[in-house]
Amino acid sequence: MPKKPWNGRFSEKTDKIVEDFTSSIDIDKRLYPYDIEGSIAHCRMLAKASIISEEDASSLIEGLGKIKREIDQKNFQFDNSLEDIHMHVETKLVQLAGKAAQKLHTARSRNDQVALDVRMYLRAETINTIKRLVMLKKVIVDLAKNHIDVVLPGYTHLQRAQPVLLSHHLMAYYEMFSRDTDRFRDCLERINVMPLGSAALAGTTYPIDRDYTAKLLDFPKVSANSIDAVSDRDFIIEFLSAASICMVHFSRMSEEFVLWSSSEFGFIELPDSFATGSSIMPQKKNPDVPELVRGKTGRVFGDLMAILTIMKSLPLAYNRDMQEDKAALFGTVDILKDCIEIYIKMIPKLIINQEAMRQAASTGFLNATDMADYLVTRGMPFRQAHSCVGQAVGYALSKKMELHELTLEELKSFSSLINKDIFDVLTTEEMINRRKSTGGTATENVMAAIKKAEKELDEDMKG
Ligand code: ARG
């Protein structure tokens, strides 16, 4: 059993229960590629600054490469007594490179090392998240484009309100996921700061070159304050906040998929390959995928709450509480990845029941606002028009008819401003296509929005 790095000061062995309790290796082993890359850069910098010899640096770098391959090939033994990924790599390096390996930790502490590893990991994962979101936006735009003319009722209070294009409804999600993409890009700015060289908390007495380490690891900036650098987890909080907002969008979309695929709505059918059956009711086709996306949202919010709570009362600088950040972060990274990927595959396969949507959009007085607008364009103040149409709706309800099913005479009895051209205004097509205000549901607007989105996606895919 290798000795603890702190064995000089201690006279008793660490209790096994303490080793198990304090170990984080099961969770933080996924940081190994970054830990090793960071150590290689640190080594190069130490040699360049003549803090260690070139010869020692080469043997360390060779050993680190070997460790990476062993872990890649699952040939590496993990052990709770070695606490975390940093101690595992260093201990193995001592076995491989002997005395030289004991120099690797010069001018460095695990406090700045773990901050570096997590930043490198999260930088890669944020870039992956952005790429996945771009793919998701693409499948949403494609679905909208392929169903440009499909009409469905738009809802407020989950009551039918006004007809909208399904493509317009889908493009609302495009907007949400675009904001999410921007938020992740913004996070990247603050993740991309190099903390190594802050050492335990106060910096180091060695003549290190932090800019050189940053250059090797492709960081545009080095952290400005060593105390902040080892105690800052804002970048994780920001990522989890952006992920939580993104999951709100996923959850709302999922809720609609669940509702829309019910017999009550019947607007969509999920592909068989993305639905599940019941173990008891043979007729069931259940929307488990959207339900689970909606459910996993709760876990992401939990991860955000966990990190906020972990950090809220910590005195500066590093405290071991911060080791708990990784379970929350990794949990959310995994959930977000799974949710984006499954929807990239599922959305193109959704079966759109265009007839059911149109049918639903044609009843329930969805043209009442348009009738009021008609009266307003003929000189009636809006409030008066609202009340006049309200009376017409009451009358139509009593006859179990829609407004456009009443005769011209019946309609005229509510206002002499009504003429036979009212019937054009009350059709679904007219209702949609007259809503040309910027951001409205008119077909030409939605087509322009899709075109703009396609241009943005082209740019996104290049970048
Ligand atoms: N495993 C630790 C963590 O994730 C690494 C830093 C440990 N530093 C220390 N001083 N014990 O936070």
Side-chain angles (χ1 to χ4, degrees):
M1 188 64 42
K3 283 190 186 142
K4 301 277 187 244
W6 53 82
N7 77 88
R9 165 165 187 337
F10 284 61
S11 53
E12 249 186 352
K13 249 178 85 206
T14 315
D15 198 308
K16 172 87 172 62
I17 197 172
V18 174
E19 284 185 342
D20 290 343
F21 186 71
T22 54
S23 167
S24 56
I25 188 62
D26 279 347
I27 290 172
D28 63 28
K29 62 177 158 216
R30 77 161 79 181
L31 293 175
Y32 80 90
Y34 308 104
D35 195 72
I36 290 171
E37 199 188 334
S39 286
I40 291 175
H42 182 62
C43 234
R44 294 220 156 97
M45 183 280 292
L46 289 177
K48 181 172 174 272
S50 307
I51 299 167
I52 64 171
S53 68
E54 287 291 347
E55 208 184 351
D56 282 347
S58 327
S59 85
L60 291 180
I61 291 168
E62 196 188 313
L64 287 163
K66 192 148 182 252
I67 295 170
K68 164 101 174 25
R69 286 190 294 280
E70 278 184 23
I71 307 181
D72 283 345
Q73 290 157 6
K74 314 221 174 328
N75 266 336
F76 192 93
Q77 193 89 36
F78 291 103
D79 175 354
N80 272 356
S81 73
L82 289 175
E83 261 191 48
D84 55 24
I85 189 60
H86 327 295
M87 298 306 301
H88 275 80
V89 172
E90 193 182 321
T91 307
K92 185 73 186 183
L93 196 60
V94 173
Q95 286 164 16
L96 292 176
K99 263 210 146 66
Q102 299 190 353
K103 299 183 182 170
L104 177 66
H105 216 50
T106 314
R108 178 174 87 168
S109 137
R110 272 189 295 162
N111 300 350
D112 55 346
Q113 189 179 358
V114 74
L116 174 71
D117 292 5
V118 177
R119 283 176 182 275
M120 288 172 71
Y121 161 83
L122 195 53
R123 174 172 67 179
E125 288 304 335
T126 305
I127 292 169
N128 288 337
T129 303
I130 293 167
K131 284 191 184 142
R132 285 186 199 107
L133 279 174
V134 169
M135 295 301 294
L136 176 75
K137 292 198 304 178
K138 167 101 175 76
V139 302
I140 292 173
V141 171
D142 287 346
L143 189 70
K145 197 174 175 182
N146 295 336
H147 297 84
I148 185 74
D149 289 331
V150 176
V151 175
L152 88 162
Y155 294 83
T156 63
H157 313 266
L158 201 57
Q159 308 287 322
R160 286 180 201 168
Q162 290 170 351
V164 291
L165 290 180
L166 171 66
S167 45
H168 192 51
H169 191 104
L170 291 169
M171 290 302 286
Y173 285 106
Y174 174 85
E175 293 296 326
M176 293 176 232
F177 291 120
S178 292
R179 291 194 294 275
D180 291 324
T181 316
D182 287 349
R183 264 186 284 273
F184 284 114
R185 287 198 180 108
D186 191 46
C187 282
L188 212 42
E189 289 268 307
R190 279 170 298 281
I191 293 170
N192 218 356
V193 177
M194 210 287 298
L196 203 67
S198 305
L201 80 162
T204 175
T205 54
Y206 295 94
I208 58 171
D209 181 348
R210 299 187 62 209
D211 291 323
Y212 182 66
T213 314
K215 199 170 132 220
L216 292 177
L217 296 173
D218 207 17
F219 279 95
K221 252 191 199 166
V222 300
S223 56
N225 178 301
S226 60
I227 298 176
D228 179 46
V230 293
S231 59
D232 170 26
R233 295 294 182 271
D234 291 4
F235 63 100
I236 298 182
I237 299 175
E238 280 190 47
F239 179 89
L240 293 184
S241 308
S244 295
I245 300 174
C246 184
M247 287 303 294
V248 170
H249 301 148
F250 269 115
S251 192
R252 295 183 77 174
M253 183 182 231
S254 302
E255 171 71 9
E256 296 200 321
F257 289 160
V258 172
L259 279 176
W260 288 4
S261 62
S262 70
S263 318
E264 281 66 19
F265 277 80
F267 287 180
I268 58 169
E269 197 185 319
L270 299 177
D272 280 359
S273 49
F274 283 82
T276 46
S278 154
S279 57
I280 171 167
M281 295 165 283
Q283 84 285 9
K284 292 293 290 288
K285 179 167 170 185
N286 292 331
D288 294 30
V289 169
E291 287 173 300
L292 280 168
V293 171
R294 192 176 58 185
K296 283 171 193 288
T297 304
R299 289 182 41 199
V300 171
F301 293 179
D303 288 336
L304 173 62
M305 281 309 123
I307 183 74
L308 286 168
T309 313
I310 289 164
M311 297 306 296
K312 75 173 263 291
S313 305
L314 294 186
L316 302 181
Y318 178 84
N319 299 269
R320 191 64 177 270
D321 316 43
M322 287 154 73
Q323 178 167 291
E324 296 296 322
D325 60 357
K326 284 174 264 330
L329 176 61
F330 298 167
T332 283
V333 166
D334 292 346
I335 289 174
L336 192 58
K337 168 175 183 284
D338 288 350
C339 291
I340 306 176
E341 283 185 347
I342 203 156
Y343 272 5
I344 289 174
K345 293 218 163 86
M346 191 187 88
I347 289 174
K349 294 188 169 170
L350 288 175
I351 301 153
I352 306 291
N353 190 349
Q354 168 164 352
E355 224 4 82
M357 290 186 183
R358 174 168 280 276
Q359 187 55 36
S362 67
T363 56
F365 303 98
L366 275 73
N367 46 14
T369 316
D370 291 73
M371 183 166 160
D373 290 346
Y374 172 92
L375 293 171
V376 169
T377 54
R378 275 153 190 77
M380 192 182 283
F382 183 77
R383 276 286 155 244
Q384 199 184 326
H386 186 286
S387 151
C388 172
V389 177
Q391 286 167 32
V393 168
Y395 173 80
L397 267 174
S398 73
K399 303 212 101 187
K400 293 198 170 40
M401 284 185 161
E402 290 289 325
L403 288 172
H404 54 275
E405 290 168 344
L406 299 177
T407 63
L408 184 58
E409 277 59 49
E410 285 173 307
L411 287 171
K412 268 181 175 303
S413 72
F414 297 100
S415 167
S416 56
L417 294 172
I418 294 178
N419 276 314
K420 97 170 178 305
D421 58 353
I422 180 92
F423 292 107
D424 300 334
V425 167
L426 298 183
T427 64
T428 305
E429 275 64 32
E430 276 298 296
M431 285 191 280
I432 300 266
N433 287 327
R434 292 177 64 238
R435 285 186 161 72
K436 287 194 189 45
S437 54
T438 306
T441 191
T443 312
E444 61 181 72
N445 282 11
V446 180
M447 270 161 53
I450 290 175
K451 226 185 200 145
K452 181 165 170 279
E454 284 178 330
K455 237 192 196 151
E456 286 165 6
L457 287 169
D458 273 352
E459 286 301 307
D460 283 342
M461 303 222 183
K462 272 190 234 147

